[in-house]
Amino acid sequence: MTTQVTPGPSRVHVRTTINGNSHEFLVPPYMSLLDTLREIVGLTGTKEGCLDGNCGACTVSLDGRIVDSCLVLGAEIDGKSVETVEGMATSEGLHPLQQAFLEEAALQCGICTPGFLVAAKGLLDNEPAPDEHRIRHWLAGNLCRCTGYDKIVRAVQKASAEMA
Amino acid sequence: MVATFEPKSEYKVIGTRPIRHDGLDKVTGRAIYGADIKLPNMIWGTVLRSPHAHARIKSVDTSAAEAMDGVHAVVVNADLPKAENKMVDLGEGATNLKWAVDNILASDKVLYAGHAIAGVAAVDRYTAEEAARAIKVEYEVLPSATNVDDTIASDMPAILEEFVGSPGAEESGHANHVKEFVHEFGDPDEAFGGADHVIEAEFSLEMVHQGYIEPHNATAVWDEDGRLKIWTSTQGAFTVRQQVAAVLQMSESKIRVTPLEIGGGFGGKIPIYLEPVAAALSRKAGNVPVKMIMERRSVFEGSGPAAGGKINLKLGATKDGKLVAADSTLRMEAGAYPGSLVGASGMCIYACYNIPNMRITGYDVLVNKPKVAAYRAPGSPQVAFAIETLVDDLCEQAGFDKWQFRRDNAAKEGTRRGDGPIFPRIGMEEVLDAAKETDHWNSDIGEASPGRVRGRGFASGYWFNVGLQSSVNLSLNDDGTVELVEGSTDIGGTRASIAMQAAETLGITAEDVNPTVVDTDTVGFTAVTGGSRVTYATGYAAYNAAIEMIDKLKVRASRLWSIDEDDVQFEDGVFSSKSDPELSIGFKDLAGKLGDTGGPVTSTGSVDLEAAGGAYGTHICDLEIDPETGKTDVVRYTIVQDAGRAIHPSYVEGQMQGGAAQGIGWALNEEYYMSDDGVMANSSYLDYRMPTSLDLPSIETVIVEVPNPVHPYGVRGVGEVPIVPPVPAVGNAIKDAIGIRLREAPMNAGRIVAALDS
Ligand code: FES
Ligand code: FES
């Protein structure tokens, strides 16, 4: 019988905050934050598209900064705070961006949606009233192959108006 | 006899924009896509792929990989059932079983860089990848070719031995050049002789990829009783079942395929790649679940792209602007196995026009690149590039107005399509008329930024839209809501468009219908989500199921009132007696009385439909070019398209915009850039460079509605035609901007600068 334990170097101890909750776990030193969230923490809302930082499907917020979680190691989030799509809705309901994405039909297959939502939130948190060009510029690191972006941009504009 | 329907102008649910039923799950991260599944004892698989474009496999040594800590199983072609060299039908037309299996795991030869050779399962993905690297393969490298000219060079060996000496190869002169068909009508040679204006040109396009953001994935496990369970992201769970059954040589009923949410497909998630490998690994590892996710590079190198190729086209017109003759030769890349979809190219090339004398010769060309798959209106964008470009050039040469010429020669009801069928009611003329009425058409092109130039172009396109089989089950809850069970995987809002058709028929709201996509054990056969068919065909099945439910409820109402069944009528959500105006009950109230009238009410609907009749679109493109660098920015873009009837207009617009965005990428930038030794040199998103939000303007949409007479709500299908016009629309705009005609796609910065320099 082969082992069920991942071979290789010993695990790194991580204590972190994810969507406001404390987490503590051991992670292989080479494991990406994306896989850490999906495989160890069990949050699969953050998606894999390319694993090389070029699609943005894996976008999360790390201490308030937008990052591609496939390019960050799980071990790096020790002592830091991570926000994922699962943390956007509260007991009050959906985040205005989530509501606007639904109303504006800003998703087709939806695989890019978590990344776009987290990235757009990162924009609106810092710049509440971006114009269309700024939105397109900010979101250029997130690929969507289904929508042609039009409805995504409109949804972000709508959420921004609603949050004003 | 096909039933026909009178379109209504007003509906209660159809044409509205409710929030899609799966929306909440998809904006909160709760939706379970193929890669998200986790099963007890699950391990991870990966695939070793060929670095060579064409090579004989001399030996594969898996011992070092098998000996590694954490590795559970390694499989190669020999671990799959031995495949006979015979033709089988895998739901997408006939194919050779050995080729189908060899494309999953290569046996004697690798035919493209990226061709799968072995599968590895290990405790996690990282270990599996390490182990795959430890597999030793000895190759005898063979000459390779990655385009339609090089592959028929005399020193290029046959990619598939089976075509050596085949009738098609004999005629074309090379085993890699498989002739498919000649369609001929009228007398093209004589018509060219009598034409006042004759124009001809060669067009070439590179292979492109569908580019869905979610990589292929599959999870498989065997039950102890020999049943195989598969979870995957697919356009068609039943198609996966059919293909896996053929490859593993087992009965379809022994396989259950559960379609998880799918992150884009565009035709590329109809074929199977990983499923049989995951199954073989699961068996060898002791029937534990094996999950596999394809890396992005392998998605480019190993999963189905769209054909590049060369198109020679000749058109002839009279001096009063009548298109009288057309002749074309299509040489389309199939990849390493036959199936370039050149047949569809032949159906589409002349489909916008009424041309009385025509010929189309189609070749399927084998090259050392991955086997092509469908990509949104497969085969049509390539030929649209040729004809919509040459029509523009013909108009310029002869002094015809480009719109008027197209309008005068437009295909309409009764026109014969190039490959034979006669068009039913279609909307080409209406689309051209609507394009001329758009704000875009009637607005000035605007000032270019300093040092830059602007141009405008337009082009049209056609796609035939398939019908095929679909099944829907309905069950009525006692609060009057309805559970809808369907087999069409939802890639872009089709749960909503199907539920809305059921709701319209039943006289309830879209929210009152709860659609669920289920596995192959749970609903009747349903063909792929593809061919723009789901809203048309599965929507039709939902309509049939709803009609059956109404009929059953009429019986219940008659029991309630102790009147004759025939005395009950249903209109606007209300059952009433034809003879006694006092007797009436709403759909929801009656649903609350099922227990008193005979128990639960369920119904089913199934269809097997002819093609939907076809859809047309016309796109208008304004762009701005920097002549120094060749950089091209699309500054304004408008799509006009006949949807038949838009069930949920937001998602119709979304299909139009998304298709156009892909087409713009195809026109300007996307390509398989092959190195001299046949390896894709740009197999990452960074280098393949699909359009980003910053590359595109807001895309304007105009939905034209020429109802399809053979659908209860007039649906034609909308998903594919929007990718057809962009390549020529962009090309025509480039011509307008710089005065030079480009006939090679992509029309990228390098080609524009080179054209301006020469
Ligand atoms: S998966 Fe991280 S950027 Fe694509
Ligand atoms: S909705 Fe499919 S990739 Fe964006």
Side-chain angles (χ1 to χ4, degrees), chain A residues 6 47 107 109 145 150-151, chain B residues 33 36 124 210 653 698:
Chain A
T6 301
K47 301 300 181 194
L107 54 143
C109 79
R145 191 59 158 172
D150 185 74
K151 292 184 188 299
Chain B
Y33 289 76
D36 300 336
D124 62 37
Q210 295 83 348
E653 293 158 5
S698 161

Side-chain angles (χ1 to χ4, degrees), chain B residues 109 169 388 477 484 506 509 584:
Chain B
K109 285 212 301 186
E388 286 296 277
N477 297 318
L484 184 155
L506 295 171
T509 68
S584 85

